[in-house]
Amino acid sequence: MTRVSRDYGDTMKMEAVLPVSADVMFASSRFPNYKIGPNNQIVEAKEDLKTLSMKEVVARETALLLEQQKRLSVRDLANKFEKGLAAAAKLSDEARLREAASLEKHVLLKKLRDALESLRGRVAGKNKDDVEEAIAMVEALAVQLTQREGELIQEKGEVKELTNYLKQASEDAKKLVDEERAFARAEIENARAAVQRVEEALQEQEKMSRATGKQDLEELMTEVHEARRIRMLHQPSKVMDMEHELQALRIQLSEKSKHSLLLQKELAVSKRIEDNTPTLYELDGFEALGSYLQIQPGSDRVPELSMCSIQWYRSTSEGGKMELISGATKSVYAPEPFDVGQVLQADIILFDQRITLTTTGPIDPAAGLGNYVEALVQRHDIEFNVIIAQMNGIDYPSQSIHVLHVGKMRMKLRKGNTTVAKEYYSTSMQLCGVRGGGNAAAQASFWQVKLGLSFVLAFESQRERNAAIMLARRFAYDCNIMLAGPDDRASLGA
């Protein structure tokens, strides 16, 4: 580059100006981009040969829009038109910037021509010819620049037309979207109204069917009761007679069992009197499932039971091998279903003396309990109302009612919708009657859910407690699990 300065007359005489051919060929048909660098030097900016022209970009975007128009929805098409509009605006801005750059190039060419004109008047000979050739080259560049400006103006017009087209298309797409949205909303409202009418009609029909069905059921029940009453008046039922007879036989059997037990106790007392054997303690209570046995002192001079140690045993027959009942160390013991048909024995250790008390015979089953359990077995899940007395050996503060579920595969304890404990039948689960306590021992059971979690549950009645134990053991046996109390599995398996 040649630096142009004010004092250049002598310099041009000393430095030779290189000749420039008139038929010079340029690498590009476009006028190069020039920038004014440091020290007022003109620097040619490097161009990216891969940059597409504005016309090519517009053509490519239009082709993509036309190609994708068929598979785009109305909303996507509107978005695409908006994007195209933004691209057209961006291209318009670029054209504006190029127009400004073209104006700067004209200014630079004019300055360069003026400098060469002033230089031509100061030089002579060969240098003057070179300056004239340079002036001709600058004029040729100006012509090319003018042609390029024409092309830019034409492209600007095309971009403007495309922008207007995209604006119109975007507005049409928005209108179409609004129309489709309004139509869809109207269809949705019509569908909702139709569904609501159908629901109201169904509800009305269901109410009418319920009322009609309830009325028909009441009329049918009234007719059945009337028919039964008329039949009973004219022909008494043999089944009812048999049921009454069985109930009377059960009552007589229970009374005779109690009378037999009293006679056996009186006989034992009279035998001890004949043998001059002092009666220190005796067993009191009905020896049947559903009641409880209690050790009572024989006289006022006998030491209190709190000074003695007690252990209960069970045996298959009187005088047979006694099996220790783990945890039964209180003066009260309530037989559980596992004790039915077995003889119970209580050993009392008073100082160095052992006192043995034995039931007069095996523990009798509860009347009607077997039929009750067989009726419950038909259900999939049986519920019992219980109260938690203890949890992990500690008194439970709340006395609210819980529900114990005894199912085919598992047991669950809940309060309302909250599950307190739930576990499938397993070898770590234990279930038996409470081995100790007071008068309510016959209504309570011990349930170890798993290791580290156990409960003492109080049922509404002795029948409910024994039925729950029998059902759980039956369902567990179906799952190949022997469900029993602490240390009872060995004897139960044998």
Side-chain angles (χ1 to χ4, degrees), residues 321-357:
K321 181 181 178 181
M322 305 304 296
E323 297 174 356
L324 183 141
I325 304 176
S326 178
T329 58
K330 305 294 183 181
S331 60
V332 176
Y333 178 76
E336 60 157 300
F338 188 51
D339 297 323
V340 174
Q342 303 198 56
V343 178
L344 297 181
Q345 174 180 314
D347 286 354
I348 305 171
I349 306 298
L350 179 60
F351 303 116
D352 294 336
Q353 184 180 2
R354 177 186 293 271
I355 303 170
T356 300
L357 302 177

Side-chain angles (χ1 to χ4, degrees), residues 8 17 33 54-55 69 72 114 125 132 205 210 221 232 279 295 359 373 384 402 431 455 493:
Y8 53 83
V17 179
N33 295 328
M54 181 170 55
K55 189 174 182 180
Q69 183 177 4
L72 289 176
D114 293 341
E132 289 178 354
Q205 184 179 1
R210 283 182 180 177
M221 290 179 65
M232 290 294 297
T279 303
I295 302 176
T359 57
V373 172
F384 299 95
H402 293 65
L431 181 66
F455 298 93

Side-chain angles (χ1 to χ4, degrees), residues 56-223:
E56 292 174 349
V57 171
V58 172
R60 186 177 64 179
E61 290 293 331
T62 305
L64 289 175
L65 283 175
L66 293 175
E67 182 182 357
Q68 296 179 1
Q69 183 177 4
K70 293 183 179 180
R71 62 174 183 268
L72 289 176
S73 65
V74 177
R75 184 176 298 174
D76 294 337
L77 186 61
N79 294 333
K80 196 67 178 179
F81 275 122
E82 290 178 356
K83 291 182 180 178
L85 185 61
K90 185 177 180 182
L91 292 175
S92 179
D93 295 338
E94 290 180 358
R96 222 178 273 114
L97 293 176
R98 290 184 182 183
E99 185 179 357
S102 176
L103 183 60
E104 291 179 359
K105 292 175 184 178
H106 274 289
V107 173
L108 290 175
L109 285 176
K110 188 175 183 305
K111 289 182 179 180
L112 181 58
R113 182 185 176 86
D114 293 341
L116 291 174
E117 288 290 343
S118 62
L119 183 63
R120 183 172 60 176
R122 295 172 181 269
V123 297
K126 186 178 181 180
N127 291 334
K128 187 175 182 180
D129 295 337
D130 294 337
V131 171
E132 289 178 354
E133 291 179 0
I135 292 173
M137 183 180 66
V138 170
E139 289 177 353
L141 290 176
V143 171
Q144 292 181 1
L145 183 59
T146 303
Q147 294 177 355
R148 181 60 181 164
E149 286 179 354
E151 294 177 358
L152 288 176
I153 291 172
Q154 184 179 357
E155 291 180 359
K156 184 177 180 181
E158 293 176 356
V159 169
K160 189 173 182 180
E161 292 178 0
L162 180 61
T163 303
N164 294 332
Y165 170 72
L166 291 175
K167 281 184 179 179
Q168 185 64 31
S170 178
E171 291 176 359
D172 294 342
K174 287 182 178 178
K175 289 180 181 179
L176 185 59
V177 169
D178 294 337
E179 291 176 359
E180 292 293 333
R181 186 181 289 113
F183 179 73
R185 287 177 178 173
E187 290 294 329
I188 291 172
E189 292 297 331
N190 294 335
R192 286 179 178 173
V195 170
Q196 187 174 1
R197 289 195 298 270
V198 172
E199 288 181 352
E200 292 176 355
L202 289 176
Q203 291 177 359
E204 186 68 23
Q205 184 179 1
E206 186 177 359
K207 289 180 180 178
M208 293 177 63
S209 62
R210 283 182 180 177
T212 306
K214 188 175 181 181
Q215 184 176 2
D216 294 342
L217 181 61
E218 291 178 353
E219 292 178 358
L220 182 61
M221 290 179 65
T222 304
E223 292 178 0

Side-chain angles (χ1 to χ4, degrees), residues 23 33 36 89-90 103-104 118 123 218 228 256 270 280 314-315 326 341 343 372-373 397 406-407 427-428 434 440 488:
D23 54 349
N33 295 328
I36 300 177
K90 185 177 180 182
L103 183 60
E104 291 179 359
S118 62
V123 297
E218 291 178 353
R228 286 180 177 176
K256 289 182 177 180
S270 62
L280 298 180
R314 66 168 65 95
S315 175
S326 178
V343 178
Y372 178 61
V373 172
V406 179
T427 55
S428 61
V434 170
D488 287 346

Side-chain angles (χ1 to χ4, degrees), residues 293-306:
L293 301 175
Q294 186 174 9
I295 302 176
Q296 297 283 4
S299 63
D300 297 336
R301 293 175 296 178
V302 176
E304 296 182 358
L305 290 172
S306 58

Side-chain angles (χ1 to χ4, degrees), residues 384-422:
F384 299 95
N385 294 329
V386 298
I387 295 176
I388 300 177
Q390 290 183 356
M391 179 176 178
N392 293 331
I394 302 173
D395 291 341
Y396 200 70
S398 175
Q399 295 295 322
S400 58
I401 296 177
H402 293 65
V403 178
L404 177 66
H405 293 261
V406 179
K408 302 283 186 180
M409 303 293 294
R410 67 181 182 183
M411 295 179 64
K412 181 175 74 171
L413 180 65
R414 66 174 177 85
K415 179 183 178 183
N417 295 327
T418 303
T419 300
V420 180
K422 179 175 66 174

